[in-house]
Amino acid sequence: MLESIKYLAVAMGMAIILTGCGDSDQETDPVNVRFLLTDMPGDYEQVNIEVEAVQIMINDTLLKLDTHQGIYNLLEFVNGKDTMLVDESIPAGFVSQIRLVLGDDNSVMIGDQLNDLETPSDQQSGLKL
């Protein structure tokens, strides 16, 4: 099961698109941030994760972003498909960390057997990227 967690951490990609650059370079200007959830094909029938929150550490302040919560089967987002987790304006600044906070309802299906996917630290402090 540890291999499944490692695969999840590696296979799950989060595309980050930062926009909002204008004529002003002041750090007080807000920027738009989007987090998209995508994956790559694997030897699994399902990889389900319960997304509770996306957090971002910006200028040494942890911000909890307005997140589209839910249970997502990562394998629905392969071959160029994705889903929006966050689309929000935030203060401009230095991003030092992104956290994906998962809930308790995570699983992986191999063959016809559905197994719990345990991610204890990701449920507390988040999967840190």
Side-chain angles (χ1 to χ4, degrees):
M1 196 54 50
L2 186 56
E3 283 300 313
S4 297
I5 295 170
K6 287 180 185 177
Y7 176 78
L8 172 65
V10 172
M12 182 186 65
M14 292 196 63
I16 304 168
I17 302 168
L18 296 174
T19 60
C21 299
D23 294 333
S24 174
D25 290 331
Q26 297 178 6
E27 283 193 22
T28 57
D29 290 345
V31 296
N32 193 48
V33 63
R34 293 180 183 176
F35 292 92
L36 306 169
L37 183 63
T38 190
D39 197 3
M40 56 191 233
D43 294 331
Y44 307 99
E45 281 62 49
Q46 294 179 18
V47 179
N48 303 299
I49 62 168
E50 181 182 14
V51 176
E52 290 196 344
V54 176
Q55 301 171 343
I56 188 169
M57 181 75 73
I58 186 164
N59 297 336
D60 296 324
T61 301
L62 186 64
L63 301 176
K64 184 176 179 182
L65 304 177
D66 186 20
T67 305
H68 297 278
Q69 298 177 335
I71 298 173
Y72 297 92
N73 178 1
L74 296 178
L75 298 183
E76 291 179 2
F77 310 113
V78 297
N79 299 323
K81 295 180 184 175
D82 59 49
T83 189
M84 181 84 63
L85 292 179
V86 172
D87 185 5
E88 185 173 348
S89 289
I90 61 171
F94 177 74
V95 175
S96 60
Q97 191 176 103
I98 300 165
R99 297 180 183 188
L100 181 64
V101 180
L102 302 180
D104 295 327
D105 202 0
N106 305 294
S107 61
V108 60
M109 181 178 280
I110 302 171
D112 61 352
Q113 186 174 3
L114 189 64
N115 301 293
D116 288 339
L117 181 61
E118 296 183 15
T119 59
S121 65
D122 301 335
Q123 294 161 331
Q124 295 171 13
S125 62
L127 174 65
K128 295 175 184 144
L129 309 169

